[in-house]
Each structure stands twice: as C-alpha cells, then as structure tokens.
Amino acid sequence: LLQKALQNLGEKGDPALRREIARLAARSFCLKDNVKAVVGKSTNGEGWEQAESIAKEQFFPEIKSLALIGKAEAASWQGRHHEFSQLWPELQKSVIEAGSPPLLEAQSLVPAVRTALGKGDWQETLILAQDLLEMSETLGYLRGVVIARTALAAVKYHSQDFKEAFTQIQRAITLGRSHQLVEFIWASCFLAERLLQFNQPQETKSILQEARAYVEKDPEIASTLYGAE
C-alpha cells in the first residue's frame, strides 16, 4: 500500500509527503525481515535490501541502522560470528549517523550480547549485558531487559555464582512470560539446562512444558533457538 501511495504521488507530489511515505515504506520493508530475525526464522533479506536502497536514496540513517540491526540479529542467532564482526563497525557508524537515539543503541547491543555469549567471551558478555540492561530498563525496552538478564545469568553461572545466576534468570523468565516475549523461551531453555545439571528433573520438565506450549503457537520459532552456553 505504501509503495502504491508513493507511485500515485509521482514526481510532482508534495516532497515532504513523498519523503514521509518513503520513510514508512522503508521501515515496513525493514521490519518484515527484522521480525523474522528476532525469532530465529530464515529470511532472504529482500526487505533489508529494499529498506537500505530507500534509506540511501532519501538519507534515512535510522532506517539503515534498523536494517543492519536485523542482519546482525540473524547472524547472532545462527552463530555466524565472523559475519557479525563484519557488520558491527558499520552498524555502530550508522547509529551515530542517526544521532545515537537511545533505543537504537540498545537494540544494536542485543546481537552484540548474543554474539559475545555465543563465543564464550565472558568478560565482553558481562560488559555488554550490563550496558544493555541499564539502557533497556531506563527506556522500558523489555526485550533488552530479558536478553541482558539471561546473558548475565550465563556469566554468573560460568563464574559459579549460582545464587545470582538463578536470580537473574528467574527475573528474565518472569518478565518474558508476563509480556509474552519470545525471549522467554531462550531464558527458559537456559534455566532448564541448569536445573537438570542440579538433578531437578521435575522442575526441568515443568519449565520445558511451558516453553513448548509457547513454541507450539509458531513452530518455526524453535528452528534456531539455542540455550546460553
């Protein structure tokens, strides 16, 4: 619909209106792929390409940032660390060009946290997760809070601070569950793995059953979900 509106305006249409419709179209294209990346679904990246093309033509740096965040999310979900490393400098630059809006900064940290965790870089994970948690709580960015607390739980578990690890993961699960966030599954899988290590099969079963019920709403979500290592 937005593309059609843009075409109907033609070259002689109101420039301000054309620009706003172009912005909305680019954002729509971008979010189409970003939503898939967030839940671990595969995408051919066509939406990102269309968004970046409009962003370059019209100079919408915030749209370019959103597209790069989506690509980085996909790379982090699928463990493509080298690809993320290539995207990260460009992503940071695009956020600065967009004026460093706090929400974009927080969103850009999400794949960075996941990638550091996936690589087993505990110090980097700790630093990034703390930054993400602070920014996300200030902004009310709940997805960022759940991801940050899950990552912090992994760091604390690795350092054998089990009490703090379980405190963080329980807070992540409670928040994710209450707001129906897909990251609730990620946090639940992390907790289930650890409870099994502590020989608590009944608690593990209960948590996995709840997570499974969520996944069954959309089976594709489970395709690339992984527990924090």
Side-chain angles (χ1 to χ4, degrees):
L1 289 176
L2 289 170
Q3 270 187 311
K4 189 174 181 180
L6 199 58
Q7 290 170 354
N8 288 340
L9 277 174
E11 292 298 328
K12 296 181 180 180
D14 178 62
L17 182 58
R18 279 185 56 83
R19 181 169 172 81
E20 186 56 29
I21 291 177
R23 183 192 301 276
L24 290 172
R27 184 177 179 83
S28 176
F29 289 138
C30 182
L31 292 180
K32 180 182 71 173
D33 280 348
N34 279 20
V35 167
K36 292 180 180 179
V38 162
V39 298
K41 293 182 179 180
S42 61
T43 173
N44 60 13
E46 182 181 347
W48 291 325
E49 290 180 7
Q50 290 174 305
E52 287 187 286
S53 175
I54 295 173
K56 182 178 180 180
E57 178 184 339
Q58 299 283 344
F59 189 67
F60 295 142
E62 75 282 7
I63 301 297
K64 180 181 179 181
S65 294
L66 280 175
L68 289 171
I69 286 169
K71 290 180 178 180
E73 286 259 25
S76 70
W77 263 125
Q78 297 167 18
R80 303 197 305 267
H81 305 318
H82 179 68
E83 181 179 334
F84 173 82
S85 297
Q86 291 180 315
L87 286 167
W88 182 236
E90 186 180 1
L91 173 53
Q92 289 179 301
K93 181 182 177 181
S94 72
V95 171
I96 292 172
E97 289 176 346
S100 299
L103 182 56
L104 267 184
E105 288 188 330
Q107 290 172 328
S108 71
L109 283 177
V110 167
V113 168
R114 279 214 179 103
T115 299
L117 183 58
K119 291 166 64 177
D121 189 336
W122 303 108
Q123 186 60 30
E124 183 73 2
T125 301
L126 177 61
I127 293 170
L128 291 171
Q130 287 175 331
D131 287 346
L132 176 59
L133 180 60
E134 181 179 351
M135 295 179 69
S136 297
E137 287 188 325
T138 299
L139 294 165
Y141 178 42
L142 301 182
R143 179 170 179 260
V145 174
V146 174
I147 291 168
R149 289 202 182 281
T150 303
L152 288 172
V155 172
K156 295 300 181 181
Y157 191 90
H158 177 74
S159 63
Q160 299 189 340
D161 184 350
F162 301 127
K163 181 179 179 180
E164 181 62 19
F166 282 106
T167 296
Q168 291 288 350
I169 201 63
Q170 288 287 7
R171 293 181 70 177
I173 288 173
T174 299
L175 183 62
R177 178 193 293 123
S178 63
H179 291 277
Q180 293 289 292
L181 301 173
V182 70
E183 286 72 26
F184 154 75
I185 305 171
W186 190 49
S188 296
C189 289
F190 172 87
L191 179 57
E193 288 178 13
R194 273 60 193 179
L195 285 175
L196 200 58
Q197 291 171 5
F198 276 82
N199 195 28
Q200 297 187 42
Q202 290 305 315
E203 291 85 347
T204 301
K205 182 180 179 181
S206 176
I207 290 167
L208 289 178
Q209 284 177 333
E210 184 179 7
R212 180 180 178 180
Y214 191 106
V215 171
E216 285 176 346
K217 297 175 184 177
D218 187 347
E220 287 187 70
I221 289 175
S223 62
T224 56
L225 282 170
Y226 60 89
E229 295 299 323

